Amino acid sequence: MGKLRVTGRFYVFLTLVMAIILFLFRDSLFGSGEIAVVYEATASDIRSVDAVIVRDEEIISSKQVSRLEYIAQEGTLVASGDPVMYVYSLEYSEKLIRELNNVRKNIQTYHNILLGNEIDSTLEVYDLTVKQKALDLKNLIRRNTSGNFLSLVSQLEDAMDERRAYMSATMRSDTKLIKYYDEEKQKVSAIDAWRNTMLAREGGVVSFYIDGYENDLTLEKMSEFTIEKMRKVLMGEKLSETGLRDEVNVARIVNQNNWSLIVLADDGKWNPVNGQTYSFQMVGFEDLLYTGTVKSVQKMGDSVMAQLDITDPIGPLMYQRSGKAAIGANLSGLRVPTKAIIKQNGQTGVLLYDVPGGTFIPVEVLSEDKNEALIMPLVEGVISGGSRVLIK
């Protein structure tokens, strides 16, 4: 019997048979149970979250506060250098002010007695100047006019000193009047020692309402803010012992166009991404819609905390510290079956069906339900609409 000769046609036939077998049994050979097509998609992600407001504000504080006297009005706009309030130290005494006013009345009364019916035109000029400077200062404080507060105070003090010097010089032989002047000078010096004019170092909206978080909840300290601290603020607990501070906070100047919203979700399904834009409304302020951009994200178990930076005018939220917020975003990504999402070495991803067994692609899950998930690949370009993923 002759040998069977193998021809080129036989190899071609064998290759075709193998190709048909691979095609018919590819899922079994590649170890996959199901294959799904990836689609480009969008979704709206709206949820209720806990929120804490962090403001960009200048804090005005002082030591040994006994009495406050407001110059600026609550909620008004002040510029850098504007007077905000007087702060009186613990040495402050209403009695001392009454004594000073009495001394000045005594000086005026006694001076009139000494002059009798004489007309002192020079003194009248000094009196008129003092009255005019005092009126200018009063109008400035009431915002009837504009001007430099410190300059007007200095001008009034100079006018009073000039009048006092003139009266002292013209009546220097009268020991009783000299005694009055010395007593007035002593009491004025005592009062000046415990009254401090607080000025705004930066422009903004002034507020005298203090909630105790001003030193701890600042934009500069947000890198130190944790989910645990967030929960404390939501429960009304203090983050530090304010009583141990040397100074007392008495006012704040709020930058109304730079602030942050810190939000916390505990359902384990929220996945904010840095740079993502969200719109939100605070419960109780449903007529106001704000927009913020995610700056940072922290995760701990099912809890997710994100910081949103906002440039919209803060408005009435300058008086709000925490509450509930409705937050939402229009998301763009790739849609896959929820069953296609797997964990590998502690990382979330999908199996791209490109080789037997698939290639693990790490992804960020933007939103999901029991059927579908919206994902964003962490490596750009490796998976797109039309790609196929394995479901195991």
Side-chain angles (χ1 to χ4, degrees), residues 102-168:
N102 289 333
V103 170
R104 286 177 170 169
K105 289 179 182 178
N106 291 336
I107 291 175
Q108 191 69 37
T109 301
Y110 190 66
H111 193 267
N112 291 334
I113 292 174
L114 293 177
L115 288 176
N117 295 325
E118 296 182 22
I119 298 177
D120 190 333
S121 58
T122 303
L123 180 59
E124 288 181 350
V125 172
Y126 283 123
D127 283 339
L128 182 61
T129 302
V130 170
K131 290 178 181 179
Q132 184 60 50
K133 296 300 179 185
L135 180 61
D136 291 344
L137 183 61
K138 183 178 180 181
N139 287 331
L140 177 63
I141 293 175
R142 291 181 174 179
R143 294 189 176 276
N144 295 327
T145 60
S146 60
N148 188 297
F149 174 81
L150 294 181
S151 176
L152 276 179
V153 170
S154 178
Q155 292 175 30
L156 176 59
E157 291 175 346
D158 290 343
M160 293 175 64
D161 288 341
E162 290 173 359
R163 182 181 66 178
R164 188 179 301 111
Y166 174 77
M167 292 173 67
S168 179

Side-chain angles (χ1 to χ4, degrees), residues 347-360:
Q347 194 168 25
T348 302
V350 296
L351 289 175
L352 176 64
Y353 182 53
D354 57 348
V355 296
T359 300
F360 181 79

Side-chain angles (χ1 to χ4, degrees), residues 94-341:
E94 291 279 1
K95 179 181 178 182
L96 188 58
I97 292 181
R98 290 194 298 269
E99 290 175 353
L100 173 62
N101 290 332
N102 289 333
V103 170
R104 286 177 170 169
K105 289 179 182 178
N106 291 336
I107 291 175
Q108 191 69 37
T109 301
Y110 190 66
H111 193 267
N112 291 334
I113 292 174
L114 293 177
L115 288 176
N117 295 325
E118 296 182 22
I119 298 177
D120 190 333
S121 58
T122 303
L123 180 59
E124 288 181 350
V125 172
Y126 283 123
D127 283 339
L128 182 61
T129 302
V130 170
K131 290 178 181 179
Q132 184 60 50
K133 296 300 179 185
L135 180 61
D136 291 344
L137 183 61
K138 183 178 180 181
N139 287 331
L140 177 63
I141 293 175
R142 291 181 174 179
R143 294 189 176 276
N144 295 327
T145 60
S146 60
N148 188 297
F149 174 81
L150 294 181
S151 176
L152 276 179
V153 170
S154 178
Q155 292 175 30
L156 176 59
E157 291 175 346
D158 290 343
M160 293 175 64
D161 288 341
E162 290 173 359
R163 182 181 66 178
R164 188 179 301 111
Y166 174 77
M167 292 173 67
S168 179
T170 55
M171 299 295 175
R172 57 182 178 273
S173 59
D174 192 285
T175 55
K176 185 174 182 180
L177 188 59
I178 293 174
K179 181 181 178 182
Y180 279 145
Y181 286 139
D182 290 342
E183 188 177 358
E184 179 195 33
K185 184 177 181 180
Q186 180 184 11
K187 294 186 185 301
V188 168
S189 298
I191 291 173
D192 288 342
W194 42 250
R195 186 178 71 177
N196 188 18
T197 304
M198 297 305 214
L199 307 177
R201 294 189 296 272
E202 299 178 1
V205 177
V206 64
S207 176
F208 303 106
Y209 290 95
I210 306 296
D211 62 19
Y213 290 105
E214 286 77 15
N215 292 87
D216 298 304
L217 293 182
T218 66
L219 297 183
E220 293 76 19
K221 292 184 178 180
M222 280 301 94
S223 60
E224 307 169 10
F225 198 61
T226 63
I227 292 178
E228 181 181 0
K229 290 181 178 180
M230 174 80 169
R231 297 194 194 283
K232 285 186 177 182
V233 177
L234 293 171
M235 294 176 63
E237 298 179 12
K238 299 303 179 185
L239 298 180
S240 62
E241 295 294 331
T242 55
L244 299 179
R245 295 196 181 105
D246 293 334
E247 297 189 343
V248 178
N249 294 337
V250 292
R252 53 195 177 96
I253 311 297
V254 182
N255 180 351
Q256 54 185 343
N257 296 312
N258 184 35
W259 51 291
S260 286
L261 187 77
I262 314 300
V263 295
L264 178 66
D266 291 314
D267 59 8
K269 296 181 180 180
W270 189 43
N271 292 286
V273 178
N274 285 347
Q276 195 172 8
T277 300
Y278 283 90
S279 298
F280 68 90
Q281 291 177 313
M282 292 292 293
V283 174
F285 302 86
E286 285 79 6
D287 57 329
L288 299 173
L289 180 65
Y290 298 92
T291 301
T293 303
V294 178
K295 181 179 181 180
S296 64
V297 178
Q298 288 186 39
K299 297 182 179 180
M300 186 176 67
D302 288 337
S303 300
V304 179
M305 183 179 76
Q307 176 184 351
L308 275 65
D309 283 353
I310 303 143
T311 57
D312 295 334
I314 190 169
L317 291 186
M318 67 176 284
Y319 299 105
Q320 187 83 0
R321 180 58 79 181
S322 62
K324 286 284 188 180
I327 185 170
N330 292 321
L331 308 175
S332 297
L334 301 173
R335 188 176 75 238
V336 299
T338 303
K339 294 184 294 183
I341 307 297

